[in-house]
Amino acid sequence: MELLDKLNWRYATKAMNGQKVPQEKIENIITAISLAPTSSGLQPFKVFVITNQELKEKIKKIAWNQSVVTDCSNLLVFAAWDTYTADRINKQFDLTNTIREFKNEGWENYRQMLLNSYPQKDAETNFNHAAKQAYIAFSLAIVAAAFEEVDSTPIEGFDPAALDEILGLREKGLRSCVMLAIGYRNSEKDWLVKLKKVRKSRADLITEID
Ligand SMILES: Cc1cc2nc3c(=O)[nH]c(=O)nc-3n(C[C@H](O)[C@H](O)[C@H](O)COP(=O)(O)O)c2cc1C
């Protein structure tokens, strides 16, 4: 299957069958997450990969009782930095220098520019910016899952404050923003599986400016 065939095949799965996804496929999805582009390359988020059934049960209760939360194979929780700090920015710039094995004046100036702007902004603005970066990675995870012919359900339908509490995220300087349940569809129980995909027309979505 070509990528577009796979994107047509994927849908926001409403019922899963509990079957485990091979670890190799999970690792490929995780790699896609890590390869996502982010603003200034800061990757200002962490991803929790949950297979613990007891924990999934707890999360389901604060996620509108959506069955995929417990019937998925792996539940991914995307949690963004609660703010940008000098320490967090420096760590990522230092990592770049370590990996590339050189220091570059332009890059160091850019570091200073970020240090002189992000940490001074209010935490909510910074969290919202960080959350946008997490969503880019979340999006790649959806595509990667489809590429692996694995089903997934994007989930925003949960109480973020309650999820932060369950996972102890605020103590880690993180806030949950979105989840992705990964597993295999239960075609018999899924009301959406046979329905046509609904998308705006090209004309409605795209404006070409030549
Ligand atoms: C950020 C985000 C949050 C979503 N939250 C939920 C959710 O909590 N539960 C659910 O069943 N579907 C959820 N969806 C699925 C959307 O409703 C679905 O992607 C959309 O209707 C398009 O359908 P398709 O993905 O099947 O093509 C979410 C999708 C996105 C992108």
Side-chain angles (χ1 to χ4, degrees), residues 11 25 29 32 36 44 53 76 80 82 92 115 119-120 122 126 141 143 146 154 162 184 196 200-201:
Y11 71 110
K25 287 180 184 276
I29 295 166
Q53 206 56 24
L76 272 51
D82 58 358
Q92 195 68 5
L115 289 172
Q120 287 78 4
D122 68 280
N126 281 339
V143 177
Y184 293 104
K196 275 191 176 166
K200 289 179 179 177
S201 68

Side-chain angles (χ1 to χ4, degrees), residues 145-158:
F147 186 80
E148 295 292 336
E149 294 177 29
V150 170
D151 286 301
S152 69
T153 316
I155 305 176
E156 248 180 359
F158 65 91

Side-chain angles (χ1 to χ4, degrees), residues 41-110:
L42 290 176
Q43 297 186 286
F45 55 83
K46 285 191 187 286
V47 181
F48 295 79
V49 182
I50 301 169
T51 49
N52 182 291
Q53 206 56 24
E54 225 171 285
L55 187 52
K56 286 199 241 161
E57 292 286 352
K58 262 194 203 167
I59 295 173
K60 184 184 177 181
K61 289 197 180 86
I62 57 98
W64 304 355
N65 265 322
Q66 299 190 62
S67 66
V68 290
V69 172
T70 46
D71 297 343
C72 68
S73 167
N74 304 65
L75 181 68
L76 272 51
V77 175
F78 291 77
W81 289 354
D82 58 358
T83 191
Y84 288 106
T85 64
D87 185 50
R88 288 168 173 181
I89 293 168
N90 278 324
K91 266 197 186 127
Q92 195 68 5
F93 275 77
D94 291 346
L95 179 66
T96 301
N97 291 347
T98 304
I99 289 177
R100 294 193 175 150
E101 296 181 44
F102 68 89
K103 261 194 172 185
N104 168 285
E105 198 191 328
W107 188 239
E108 290 306 317
N109 290 340
Y110 188 61

Side-chain angles (χ1 to χ4, degrees), residues 10-12 14 66 135 138 153-157 178 192 197 199:
R10 74 142 291 280
Y11 71 110
K14 302 300 174 194
Q66 299 190 62
Y135 272 82
F138 159 77
T153 316
I155 305 176
E156 248 180 359
V178 69
L192 188 57
K197 207 174 250 312
R199 288 297 188 271

Side-chain angles (χ1 to χ4, degrees), residues 8-40:
N8 264 309
W9 168 84
R10 74 142 291 280
Y11 71 110
T13 308
K14 302 300 174 194
M16 291 189 179
N17 63 13
Q19 198 187 319
K20 288 275 150 226
V21 173
Q23 191 57 28
E24 192 189 327
K25 287 180 184 276
I26 298 296
E27 291 304 327
N28 288 342
I29 295 166
I30 290 171
T31 302
I33 289 170
S34 111
L35 288 172
T38 54
S39 181
S40 303

